[in-house]
Amino acid sequence: MSAAVVVCAVTAVLPGAASAEPMTVAGLASAGGAGVERISVATDGTQGDGDSADATITSDGRRIAFSSSAKNLTPANPGTGERVFVRDQRTSQTTLMSTLTSPIQRPVISADGQYVALWGLLFRDTKTFLSQVSSGSTIGVNCPGLSCSQPSLSADGRYIAQAATFNRPPSRQRIEVGDWRADTTQTVAEFGHTVSARPSISGDGRLVAYQDGQAEDVFVWDRTGGASSGPIEGLSEAATLVQLSKDGRKVVYLSGSDTYVHDVSSGTDQLVPNVRGVAIDPTGRYLLYAPLDTSGPSLTLRDLEAGTDEIVSTQPASAGTDAVSADGRDVVFQSTADDIVPGDTNGKSDVFLRRFY
């Protein structure tokens, strides 16, 4: 079926990325050095009057997308419920993305910071929406089934991997990759159930890691040959997908109480025991994980090559996929703790950024 883009009534078709503002790292507002700062604030620094969470970050660390129920982050009225915002670290601006829908799960910002995808409710079904950061225009991405969910973006936002469910009540699903500019789509896999498939796409749109949630197997699909390999964890193990790195080299998955980092090229796995992996940086070198031992830090960043750890947060905190910038420089996370930064008096969940250098 076609992956045509359906333009919502109040929006316009998104222009191509060629006209978008270029990204630089040098001008970041936080370029002064390592530390922690709160991201879920208004442009003038006012703290949010509602809960904020579900942050994802660009490869260069400049832009962070997050969801929030706060009403005072932008002059524009965000309406009721949660909305998606983007914080630009270079300009210190906070921008409201779309008022069309409330996100059901975390928004996803493209690695280049030009597009944000979110999964929201449209009438009684769920759809994927795509917003351009520079213009604020939003489109609904056509869904071949009744509902589409769990979007994952290529680095330039052109390719969207998502899971489509069929029938009412839903009884089967299809994982697909759509090129919304070329109006084409490719089927990755189909299942006779609706247990989470959680697709994760590489930066160039060539590879898609996904799971058969019912069988608890993880696979990697390659656009080049149109075929899948796996299960990557082996035939006798159960696994849950976390994320495919944007360079397409590493797949993070969970099995039992351990985390594994699978090398796509060699087929070998690196074991990180007794932790729950939550994200991997775009280069595949830095793993963000939550230790199962709750007496220590809540989030830690591991250099998989050096075998060294950096503490992200000692206070209770959580994070999700696409939460680490390239080379492990920045990590975004959420926490209700009020002593991470000075002046946190809103009593709400906030989004924070930890910079290591």
Side-chain angles (χ1 to χ4, degrees), residues 41-44 73-74 86-95:
V41 295
T43 298
D44 63 2
L73 297 183
T74 60
V86 169
R87 177 73 174 179
D88 189 317
Q89 290 294 88
R90 193 182 77 178
T91 64
S92 298
Q93 284 191 311
T94 301
T95 304

Side-chain angles (χ1 to χ4, degrees), residues 273-349:
N274 300 313
V275 305
R276 180 176 58 85
V278 295
I280 193 164
D281 90 299
T283 71
R285 175 168 176 170
Y286 293 88
L287 172 73
L288 179 65
Y289 70 82
L292 298 185
D293 180 359
T294 57
S295 64
S298 59
L299 288 173
T300 301
L301 188 71
R302 171 161 295 186
D303 183 333
L304 294 169
E305 293 184 12
T308 56
D309 287 335
E310 294 275 7
I311 295 174
V312 175
S313 179
T314 56
Q315 294 92 334
S318 60
T321 55
D322 299 301
V324 187
S325 68
D327 299 319
R329 183 184 186 190
D330 306 292
V331 177
V332 287
F333 62 95
Q334 66 193 49
S335 178
T336 58
D338 60 7
D339 57 351
I340 295 178
V341 297
D344 187 348
T345 59
N346 62 0
K348 304 294 183 180
S349 169

Side-chain angles (χ1 to χ4, degrees), residues 40 51-56 65-68 82 106-107 334 349-351:
S40 51
D51 290 319
S52 299
D54 301 331
T56 61
F66 62 93
S67 61
S68 180
E82 290 190 349
R106 69 178 51 248
Q334 66 193 49
S349 169
D350 286 304
V351 170

